[in-house]
Amino acid sequence: MPHAVETQSLTRIFRPKKKKEGSVVTALDSVDLRIERGELFGVLGPNGAGKTTLLKILSTLLLPTSGKAYVAGLDVEKDLTAVRERINMVSGGEISGYGLLTVRENLWMFSQFYGIKSKEAHARIEELLARFGLSSKAKAKVRTLSTGERQKMNVIRGFVTNPEIVFLDEPTLGLDVNAARAVRDFVMDWVQSDRNRTVLLTTHYMMEADELCDRIAIIDGGKILACDTPNNLKKTVKMNTTLTLSVYGLGGINGFDNIPGLNSYTSYKDVESGTTKLRFVLEDESCVSEIVSEVVSKGSRIMSLQKTEPTLEDVFIKLVGRGLA
Amino acid sequence: MAVTNNLKVFKDSAWLGWQMEANWTDPFLFLTYSIVKPIAGTLILVLMYIVVTGGETANAFFSYMYVGNAMYMFVAEVLFGVTWVIHDDREHYMTLKQVYIAPMNFYMYIMGRSAIKIAITSFGVFITILFGVVALDVAIDLTSIDWPLLALSLVLGLASICILGLALGGVSFLTAKHSIGINEGLAGVFYVLSGVVFPITILPTWAESISRFLPVTYWMEAVRRGMEPGVMRELADTSGYDVTGMSNVSDLTIMLYLLISVGVFFALSIGVFRIADYIARKKGKIDWTTAY
Ligand SMILES: Nc1ncnc2c1ncn2[C@@H]1O[C@H](COP(=O)(O)OP(=O)(O)O)[C@@H](O)[C@H]1O
Ligand SMILES: [Mg+2]
């Protein structure tokens, strides 16, 4: 089976109409990506990195300057209808919709453009409206919705057409915490409920990429700088994981000396409260359980435990040379 | 995944157009739009005619002009309507890119959206002609109407205009700001060159040769022959010269010319649409708004 998405040296250059209107922008620079069926794949990058340009090309809105892009093995430049039958796209902050129609009518309209049977469409619309807490707005005219509600309606629009591959361009942009949570949970459930479903989402939120995505491509200046699972990406950062324990009634600390994978440790005993603060620098995370069982075997109680490890932020700073504000 | 059916897309889009176009909650507005507006537009022309000719409307030439002017409402409304659909979807509803990436025939969508406009216009055209017959002595005689010729020419003529709409739709992808100007210009070209209010024979020779290439020219001729055959005969007989430049051409040949020019324009329009669509994708113009 072909990849859900594959690009080969995909390049897109924007030239200004007149010289004085700015310079030539290479929005995508030889991008090679392979996204498997069933993946929830993230493209993480700052504003202007080329994320939207990538999704526009994949969704047949924009032509590449050079290179190739395939969706479900189909050429996005040539097999337009076949690609369109399999995809849908939602952009964050999207408040579009036919204002004079009701929410239900608007969603139904789009389902019909994709040839979904009316009965099936209605059932799915009701289900999705309920899922996003919009059931009470089903009969409301689109123009009366708040921007957040319109955005949620557009997320539903992206899924109501029963696509195989969904492109989400910063889907939680501008949503409040709860709505963003609802969108993330839904997207994860949607991908997991059918192995043939694929989501390619772009984001500039580290946490979102980390939490949601099976794999992440980090993009900046149109170039893919790294592409791997969140965990593998974090491993590339030479920063050790630390484990901090607060322990009550600790007998001795000699037992820690022989635990393999433990780099070093420090201990500090607070005589007054009887707790000891232990800080371990780990080379290999698998020794966490041995440390814990060593503590417990000495008859002491663990009051708190905290692990700090490299974040995607650290990965990003290492690759791009600056943070993602 | 399903295959979208053209007829279904047309039907659903027409329903969408209906929801937007017909403001049934305000019948007064609707009546103004569909009756008063076309008649008012026609009266301006009638007034100009009366001022220029010194006031005689009960003659063949007035009837010739009146019918052409009424039929022209179709040309203006369809060309304007198609551009407006794309403009509205792009700038107002912001749904253009979502509609564009749907796996349907985009043209069916535009035509469906415009269908209600055509229907309302038909009503306006009918009212205008009725008004002309009743109030202005326009010489349409129900017993002499050539119904088959009239029906066939109406269908072909409307088809030719809708086909032109396709090309305009493509061009609207490219120029958000200028598309309204372009369609007004194009509508103007048809007004002057297609024998709408004056015969093409009074045009300079080069302009008349362009006229003979345009489907609207044959449409106007065929509709008049169907609707007011007496007027056309009188014009040919009394004027001492061939006013319309086509009086010796048979009805069948006129219809054939209409059919051929519709075919040629169909091919041209598809070509223009494809090229415009390609350029729009190349330049990334589909989802681009002008931010007025
Ligand atoms: N239509 C366009 N014309 C000119 N430059 C563009 C156009 N679209 C995007 N760009 C430029 O391409 C670069 C990438 O943009 P974009 O893909 O929107 O980035 P992102 O979505 O990651 O913020 C930016 O520098 C942007 O200014
Ligand atoms: Mg973007």
Side-chain angles (χ1 to χ4, degrees):
Chain A
M1 201 177 216
H3 289 92
V5 172
E6 180 172 0
T7 69
Q8 296 166 357
S9 308
L10 189 66
T11 301
R12 172 70 212 205
I13 295 167
F14 288 108
R15 292 179 196 285
K17 260 199 220 128
K18 298 182 195 107
K19 280 243 166 64
K20 58 174 190 268
E21 279 178 8
S23 52
V24 175
V25 177
T26 305
L28 293 175
D29 191 353
S30 290
V31 168
D32 291 297
L33 276 181
R34 278 190 180 168
I35 302 173
E36 306 289 340
R37 293 257 174 182
E39 266 194 302
L40 206 174
F41 190 95
V43 174
L44 176 68
N47 283 334
K51 305 182 295 294
T52 300
T53 303
L54 174 66
L55 291 206
K56 279 192 193 173
I57 291 175
L58 294 175
S59 58
T60 76
L61 277 169
L62 184 68
L63 291 174
T65 305
S66 65
K68 282 280 168 197
Y70 301 93
V71 168
L74 301 156
D75 189 331
V76 298
E77 285 182 68
K78 294 183 189 123
D79 308 320
L80 288 181
T81 308
V83 169
R84 288 170 182 168
E85 279 168 357
R86 291 165 173 80
I87 63 163
N88 207 335
M89 168 150 94
V90 180
S91 308
E94 196 160 50
I95 52 162
S96 57
Y98 296 111
L100 290 159
L101 298 188
T102 66
V103 171
R104 188 184 277 136
E105 287 167 342
N106 201 73
L107 292 168
W108 178 82
M109 198 73 220
F110 278 98
S111 74
Q112 297 314 292
F113 293 159
Y114 285 74
I116 308 291
K117 288 206 180 67
S118 204
K119 205 173 157 195
E120 187 188 331
H122 276 300
R124 202 174 298 146
I125 288 167
E126 298 315 314
E127 182 195 325
L128 289 169
L129 284 174
R131 172 89 200 227
F132 284 93
L134 275 182
S135 294
S136 63
K137 296 282 177 180
K139 283 190 197 159
K141 296 262 192 251
V142 171
R143 61 158 190 256
T144 66
L145 298 185
S146 69
T147 42
E149 288 164 344
R150 278 184 183 220
Q151 252 179 280
K152 284 198 272 185
M153 183 189 78
N154 267 300
V155 172
I156 297 175
R157 178 188 51 73
F159 291 92
V160 88
T161 62
N162 202 19
E164 290 172 24
I165 301 158
V166 178
F167 301 115
L168 302 174
D169 194 11
E170 313 213 28
T172 58
L173 193 75
L175 286 178
D176 65 47
V177 181
N178 290 329
R181 176 83 271 145
V183 170
R184 288 187 193 121
D185 287 347
F186 172 75
V187 170
M188 279 199 281
D189 289 350
W190 187 82
V191 176
Q192 277 159 16
S193 60
D194 187 333
R195 293 184 49 198
N196 239 342
R197 291 174 170 174
T198 310
V199 167
L200 167 51
L201 79 83
T202 73
T203 181
H204 68 265
Y205 302 127
M206 296 285 178
M207 300 297 280
E208 184 166 277
D210 198 359
E211 180 194 339
L212 249 57
C213 301
D214 301 316
R215 283 197 303 148
I216 296 170
I218 293 180
I219 187 171
D220 187 44
K223 285 197 172 76
I224 303 288
L225 303 175
C227 178
D228 213 327
T229 62
N231 279 337
N232 284 345
L233 285 172
K234 288 174 202 164
K235 275 185 198 155
T236 64
V237 178
K238 287 277 165 280
M239 184 171 110
N240 290 312
T241 303
T242 63
L243 182 72
T244 309
L245 292 178
S246 184
V247 178
Y248 184 76
L250 185 68
I253 52 171
N254 297 344
F256 300 125
D257 290 342
N258 300 323
I259 296 178
L262 180 58
N263 182 303
S264 60
Y265 66 92
T266 54
S267 74
Y268 167 78
K269 183 159 182 170
D270 181 15
V271 187
E272 210 169 299
S273 65
T275 57
T276 307
K277 195 161 193 149
L278 293 162
R279 185 168 180 276
F280 302 90
V281 178
L282 314 178
E283 242 152 41
D284 180 352
E285 294 190 21
S286 62
C287 64
V288 170
S289 61
E290 284 174 68
I291 294 170
V292 171
S293 54
E294 173 66 25
V295 172
V296 177
S297 73
K298 292 265 166 63
S300 28
R301 266 196 297 149
I302 296 177
M303 310 300 286
S304 75
L305 181 151
Q306 196 190 5
K307 199 169 136 207
T308 55
E309 50 192 5
T311 61
L312 270 182
E313 183 93 40
D314 301 313
V315 179
F316 195 87
I317 290 169
K318 183 192 147 205
L319 288 169
V320 179
R322 60 192 147 84
L324 230 184
Chain B
M1 191 181 74
V3 179
T4 36
N5 170 301
N6 280 342
L7 209 63
K8 176 105 173 63
V9 168
F10 179 85
K11 213 181 85 195
D12 293 336
S13 310
W15 176 82
L16 180 59
W18 167 272
Q19 297 297 315
M20 293 178 174
E21 204 64 49
N23 199 344
W24 305 114
T25 53
D26 191 347
F28 177 74
L29 203 72
F30 176 73
L31 284 180
T32 309
Y33 182 76
S34 54
I35 300 175
V36 180
K37 197 182 115 200
I39 291 185
T42 304
L43 283 180
I44 292 173
L45 185 88
V46 171
L47 209 70
M48 284 195 309
Y49 177 88
I50 291 174
V51 168
V52 171
T53 63
E56 187 53 33
T57 61
N59 67 44
F61 187 71
F62 181 78
S63 297
Y64 168 94
M65 188 195 79
Y66 194 89
V67 166
N69 187 63
M71 296 313 290
Y72 181 77
M73 283 163 54
F74 279 121
V75 181
E77 280 298 319
V78 172
L79 293 188
F80 190 74
V82 166
T83 325
W84 192 252
V85 167
I86 291 181
H87 176 85
D88 237 14
D89 276 11
R90 171 154 48 195
E91 310 270 338
H92 187 182
Y93 303 116
M94 292 173 282
T95 46
L96 185 65
K97 72 170 170 183
Q98 300 156 6
V99 170
Y100 181 82
I101 65 165
M104 62 171 170
N105 185 335
F106 188 76
Y107 187 56
M108 285 296 152
Y109 170 75
I110 307 183
M111 275 298 114
R113 281 284 303 273
S114 315
I116 185 73
K117 269 213 163 76
I118 298 176
I120 294 174
T121 306
S122 306
F123 190 62
V125 171
F126 176 75
I127 293 288
T128 305
I129 289 178
L130 193 70
F131 177 77
V133 172
V134 172
L136 299 166
D137 298 320
V138 170
I140 296 173
D141 173 8
L142 273 183
T143 56
S144 69
I145 290 179
D146 183 344
W147 291 104
L149 182 66
L150 179 60
L152 198 63
S153 58
L154 270 179
V155 168
L156 277 177
L158 276 177
S160 75
I161 286 300
C162 292
I163 283 160
L164 270 164
L166 172 64
L168 258 189
V171 173
S172 306
F173 281 160
L174 300 177
T175 63
K177 262 196 188 132
H178 307 303
S179 56
I180 302 289
I182 288 172
N183 81 26
E184 276 177 357
L186 200 62
V189 166
F190 286 121
Y191 194 72
V192 175
L193 293 184
S194 294
V196 173
V197 288
F198 51 83
I200 59 172
T201 48
I202 70 167
L203 294 168
T205 325
W206 62 266
E208 194 186 327
S209 354
I210 299 175
S211 302
R212 289 180 182 277
F213 176 69
L214 303 175
V216 179
T217 305
Y218 301 105
W219 179 26
M220 291 295 156
E221 179 75 19
V223 163
R224 285 182 177 120
R225 286 184 184 200
M227 202 183 284
E228 42 181 8
V231 168
M232 297 306 275
R233 232 174 286 121
E234 194 185 330
L235 272 183
D237 292 346
T238 57
S239 300
Y241 85 108
D242 182 4
V243 181
T244 62
M246 288 182 227
S247 54
N248 297 323
V249 186
S250 73
D251 291 353
L252 194 70
T253 313
I254 291 288
M255 290 310 281
L256 201 67
Y257 285 161
L258 178 55
L259 195 66
I260 291 170
S261 64
V262 166
V264 170
F265 267 72
F266 185 60
L268 276 178
S269 286
I270 287 185
V272 169
F273 183 84
R274 291 232 172 113
I275 292 168
D277 183 32
Y278 176 81
I279 297 174
R281 285 210 296 146
K282 191 154 184 81
K283 300 205 164 170
K285 296 233 163 167
I286 306 286
D287 67 333
W288 165 90
T289 54
T290 46
Y292 281 116

